[in-house]
Amino acid sequence: MRFLLVEDNGELAEAVVKRLALDGHAVDHAACLAEAKEFLAGASYDLILLDVMLPDGDGRAFLAQSRAHLETPVIVLTARAQVSDRVGALDQGADDYITKPFDFSELEARCRAVLRRRGGSARNEIAMGDALFDPMSGSLRLGEDCVTLRNRETRLLEIFARHPGQTLSKGQLLDRLFSFDAEVTENAIEVYVGRLRRRIGPMGLRIETVRGLGYRLETAAG
């Protein structure tokens, strides 16, 4: 999944980016609202992590102004712990709120929870035909059989899982899997799709090539 982190504390931002990257997520870092707007104009994101006090404005005001056209889920990051601050952020359009300093495991859990809610699920596991996919552990189970995917394979399957029945172009997959500073081409998508195909085939899933358009995930049931 691709995240946008809007945070002016360079040390904290670097730590968050590295931690999320360990799970295979692509993260773009904006140090101010102006940079955030540039990133949002050029890419689609699955989740935004938004600081409140930024050099060029208040993140909450930016969120309130953007909600008319911005549907991406947002978790607000701030040192303000007052109830009124939390309520205000939620009323202005935040999907969740976490106070600094925070534990990275809690941040990861909140990211998963927000993405689950946006996907209409209360559980980590996603049903894919007769198989069950857990994006947190990277496991795909079919009966007693189980395969554990690598990080990038996990994120790629998660993209397909959250866009059921849709044909996704190489460009869309590239956009979701890699940040702006990653030096990759669409050929990389072909490599990862090929690897994922081999791993999920025995689990009743296949990735179909739609000529000229991209790829679509198919299950044994559909």
Side-chain angles (χ1 to χ4, degrees), residues 207-218:
I207 299 174
E208 178 184 352
T209 298
V210 182
R211 188 175 297 277
L213 296 177
Y215 303 100
R216 181 174 61 236
L217 182 71
E218 298 286 351

Side-chain angles (χ1 to χ4, degrees), residues 5-204:
L5 171 64
V6 190
E7 168 62 60
D8 64 330
N9 183 316
E11 185 175 347
L12 175 60
E14 182 179 3
V16 171
V17 169
K18 287 183 177 179
R19 182 61 180 255
L20 293 174
L22 289 176
D23 287 332
H25 298 294
V27 185
D28 289 316
H29 170 225
C32 62
L33 292 175
E35 289 184 1
K37 292 175 183 178
E38 291 180 3
F39 279 123
L40 288 167
S44 298
Y45 293 94
D46 298 290
L47 181 66
I48 298 172
L49 304 174
L50 178 65
D51 189 19
V52 168
M53 300 303 294
L54 292 159
D56 54 350
D58 189 316
R60 294 167 303 176
F62 166 76
L63 175 60
Q65 295 166 3
S66 302
R67 265 309 182 208
H69 56 83
L70 182 68
E71 297 183 358
T72 307
V74 175
I75 297 178
V76 167
L77 316 175
T78 181
R80 296 180 175 180
Q82 296 295 323
V83 173
S84 58
D85 292 319
R86 296 198 297 271
V87 171
L90 294 171
D91 284 343
Q92 287 164 329
D95 294 84
D96 203 353
Y97 186 108
I98 187 168
T99 55
K100 304 176 185 177
F102 50 78
D103 187 271
F104 287 119
S105 60
E106 180 183 0
L107 176 63
E108 291 171 325
R110 288 181 179 273
C111 290
R112 291 193 297 270
V114 167
L115 291 171
R116 283 200 309 271
R117 290 198 298 270
R118 279 300 174 107
S121 174
R123 302 170 55 194
N124 279 327
E125 291 185 325
I126 302 173
M128 306 180 74
D130 295 326
L132 286 175
F133 170 54
D134 185 349
M136 178 179 173
S137 64
S139 64
L140 183 65
R141 294 188 292 109
L142 179 63
E144 296 182 356
D145 297 326
C146 180
V147 296
T148 301
L149 305 173
R150 296 178 178 178
N151 283 343
R152 196 73 73 182
E153 296 168 347
T154 298
R155 300 284 79 87
L156 179 57
L157 184 56
E158 184 177 10
I159 293 169
F160 282 116
R162 298 193 184 281
H163 297 83
Q166 294 185 33
T167 298
L168 301 173
S169 69
K170 291 180 183 179
Q172 288 174 312
L173 295 174
L174 191 70
D175 184 58
R176 294 291 190 184
L177 276 178
F178 298 98
S179 58
F180 276 118
D181 58 0
E183 296 182 358
V184 293
T185 67
E186 291 187 356
N187 290 335
I189 297 300
E190 295 179 9
V191 173
Y192 284 114
V193 167
R195 290 177 182 174
L196 185 59
R197 275 179 169 144
R198 292 190 290 272
R199 304 296 305 280
I200 68 176
M203 311 301 284

